Amino acid sequence: MMAASPSAAGGFTASGLSVRKSEEIADLIDLFSKTQYRAKEVTPRVETIEKRCLELFGRDYKYSVIHNTNGEVCGHYPRQIVYLEYECTEVQRDRNGDSQLFDKVRGHDIKLLRYLSVRYICDLMVENKKVKFGLNVTSSEKVDKAQRYADFTLLSVPYPGCEFFKDYKDRDYTAEGLVFNWNQSWDLVEQTQNYLKLLLHIINSDDESGLLVHCISGWDRTPLFVSLLRLSLWADGAVHASLEPAEILYLTIAYDWFLFGHMLPDRLSKGEEIFFFCFNFLKHIVSEKFSAIRKQRRKNSHFKDSDFTVEDLCQLKSRDRGSVTSLSSDFSLITEEAGAASSLTNDAVDLMPSRAPAAARWCPIPSERQARLEAVREVFLAAYSSTVGLKSSAPSPSGAISGLLEQFARGVGLRGTNTIV
């Protein structure tokens, strides 16, 4: 069940990923596909996952935890919410503790954000409010009438909720060309790429301030982008530097998805496969354009259509930003900051063009970033195919399912090639 992967750049070969670690990921996905995590209902098997996450975080960071033992903060958040303080040396790695930062976090949202040095808040909600259990609820700072979040830079980056990912499954897991009834040219691939590049730009442009990413519940869209951010930064060697592909994959599935309450059994039963989309999407961010490593801009380079600043995005007409009339909601891709213009307007975000250039006739040697992300994706595909599997809605002339199954076959050692589709 090992994943063959490129060894030309980075040396992530099948021998570097032990059978035990691959089985560990398969066991995790198997449990995840049958059980939703609840802080009050922890089994010995879940306790093992919690301890494993802390051990993987402790490899590279001094951390503290916010205790959520009985779900006081949130019933579907981890019992130990990890706060990474700083990268640690070899001597410091054994000194991680569980100091309690806050006993009562609820009602102190802004205080907590300031404590964590958060300046930028990216709101993935399409709608302003949602009805849950008969009540209008929201987690969007943009609708706070008291303007209590005026000191933060708010970015409204609407992204489709989990229910839209049934369309992704019904199209045989093909995201290219999938546009969610929005009057814009971005399909699901381009939209996800552009949002990720925006988040990476924020991280890369301000070393002093933190970034908060959230949606309405933190179950679907939030782990999608947190996971992509964690894996992208890891592929650049910027975070979790000591973890192997199988280890970073375990950490992000267990902590970002499982322990934060993603309802995988429910999503699978409805065909809303946003979880699978996340890790299969890694093939779309292998380019150095997504690298967080700062690069000096080419001198005398001409402005291209694909180079936008956040200010440019703010000035887009509503028809270009999209519409969600089907959800009876109004939104825009905007930034808001009281009293001062956003510092993000000074640098180009360099979003992806709506149409990709023609593919080259030649095949370059994969970069280390590409090799690392492909290694993670292959381990995931092998583990997912052996536990959950893919379910085609109807025969597809595109052959998308057969292509993915071919990758699964290579991942479990039934094919002898390292080529990635």
Side-chain angles (χ1 to χ4, degrees):
M1 195 165 61
M2 295 309 303
S5 55
S7 58
F12 294 108
T13 61
S15 61
L17 303 174
S18 69
V19 174
R20 183 186 65 80
K21 290 176 182 177
S22 294
E23 290 178 345
E24 185 179 48
I25 293 172
D27 290 341
L28 173 62
I29 294 178
D30 179 64
L31 174 66
F32 191 12
S33 66
K34 300 173 183 176
T35 307
Q36 183 186 359
Y37 173 81
R38 284 286 182 263
K40 289 185 178 181
E41 303 170 0
V42 174
T43 65
R45 193 174 176 186
V46 172
E47 286 182 343
T48 300
I49 294 173
E50 292 174 328
K51 291 177 182 178
R52 178 67 167 145
C53 287
L54 294 179
E55 187 267 322
L56 292 173
F57 277 122
R59 294 271 191 92
D60 298 284
Y61 298 95
K62 171 69 173 65
Y63 66 82
S64 295
V65 299
I66 300 173
H67 287 287
N68 183 42
T69 307
N70 295 309
E72 295 91 344
V73 177
C74 185
H76 62 266
Y77 279 14
R79 294 192 304 166
Q80 296 172 307
I81 302 172
V82 175
Y83 169 53
L84 302 181
E85 297 184 6
Y86 52 82
E87 279 191 282
C88 56
T89 63
E90 291 291 336
V91 176
Q92 294 170 326
R93 284 177 182 169
D94 294 327
R95 297 181 182 176
N96 277 307
D98 63 344
S99 58
Q100 193 164 350
L101 296 179
F102 297 93
D103 291 321
K104 298 180 180 179
V105 179
R106 193 180 304 275
H108 298 283
D109 185 42
I110 293 178
K111 181 179 180 182
L112 180 61
L113 291 175
R114 287 173 175 163
Y115 183 88
L116 298 176
S117 301
V118 169
R119 178 185 176 189
Y120 305 98
I121 301 177
C122 289
D123 178 8
L124 296 167
M125 289 180 60
V126 174
E127 57 284 276
N128 287 333
K129 296 181 180 180
K130 261 192 173 182
V131 177
K132 289 200 171 186
F133 307 107
L135 298 174
N136 287 324
V137 297
T138 184
S139 62
S140 179
E141 296 82 5
K142 64 178 180 282
V143 297
D144 179 35
K145 296 180 180 179
Q147 296 295 309
R148 283 166 290 199
Y149 293 88
D151 293 336
F152 299 92
T153 301
L154 307 181
L155 294 99
S156 181
V157 282
Y159 192 82
C162 62
E163 61 272 17
F164 292 101
F165 283 83
K166 186 178 186 303
D167 295 341
Y168 167 66
K169 173 188 175 286
D170 290 345
R171 296 177 84 249
D172 287 337
Y173 305 90
T174 302
E176 291 83 353
L178 180 57
V179 180
F180 295 114
N181 195 28
W182 294 356
N183 298 322
Q184 63 178 23
S185 59
W186 292 350
D187 62 12
L188 183 59
V189 171
E190 293 161 340
Q191 184 180 15
T192 309
Q193 287 176 324
N194 288 341
Y195 282 11
L196 181 63
K197 291 194 75 175
L198 176 63
L199 299 180
L200 288 168
H201 174 79
I202 293 172
I203 293 173
N204 201 35
S205 63
D206 192 338
D207 293 333
E208 302 300 323
S209 302
L211 167 67
L212 170 67
V213 179
H214 75 82
C215 53
I216 180 67
S217 300
W219 291 338
D220 302 290
R221 291 168 284 188
T222 299
L224 166 64
F225 279 97
V226 169
S227 213
L228 290 177
L229 280 171
R230 192 185 300 279
L231 289 168
S232 182
L233 293 170
W234 168 82
D236 292 331
V239 298
H240 305 290
S242 68
L243 300 189
E244 298 176 4
E247 293 172 328
I248 188 66
L249 177 61
Y250 184 97
L251 178 61
T252 191
I253 291 176
Y255 189 77
D256 299 327
W257 290 88
F258 178 66
L259 293 180
F260 270 96
H262 177 68
M263 297 185 290
L264 185 58
D266 175 77
R267 301 299 185 252
L268 291 175
S269 69
K270 297 177 181 177
E272 299 169 353
E273 298 208 31
I274 188 173
F275 174 67
F276 175 83
F277 170 81
C278 174
F279 297 96
N280 191 44
F281 190 79
L282 294 178
K283 64 183 178 181
H284 294 296
I285 61 169
V286 298
S287 168
E288 295 299 316
K289 292 182 179 180
F290 297 92
S291 175
I293 301 175
R294 287 190 173 88
K295 300 181 180 66
Q296 186 175 4
R297 285 192 170 271
R298 296 178 183 176
K299 294 182 179 179
N300 301 322
S301 62
H302 296 286
F303 183 86
K304 298 180 293 183
D305 290 340
S306 60
D307 293 331
F308 290 95
T309 64
V310 174
E311 184 177 37
D312 296 324
L313 293 173
C314 297
Q315 295 174 351
L316 288 176
K317 295 181 180 179
S318 60
R319 67 173 183 270
D320 298 320
R321 291 194 299 258
S323 171
V324 288
T325 54
S326 61
L327 294 179
S328 300
S329 175
D330 186 24
F331 74 89
S332 61
L333 180 55
I334 60 173
T335 60
E336 302 172 0
E337 185 173 49
S342 170
S343 63
L344 296 177
T345 60
N346 298 326
D347 300 309
V349 180
D350 192 25
L351 298 180
M352 301 292 291
S354 60
R355 286 192 177 93
R361 300 285 181 187
W362 54 279
C363 184
I365 297 175
S367 65
E368 182 175 359
R369 173 186 172 83
Q370 179 177 347
R372 288 162 72 93
L373 289 175
E374 287 179 349
V376 170
R377 178 172 174 261
E378 288 186 9
V379 176
F380 173 81
L381 291 177
Y384 197 85
S385 65
S386 67
T387 53
V388 178
L390 297 182
K391 301 173 180 62
S392 178
S393 298
S396 170
S398 67
I401 287 290
S402 61
L404 284 170
L405 291 177
E406 175 67 18
Q407 294 173 34
F408 289 158
R410 288 199 303 272
V412 298
L414 300 179
R415 296 289 187 273
T417 176
N418 288 338
T419 305
I420 295 292
V421 177

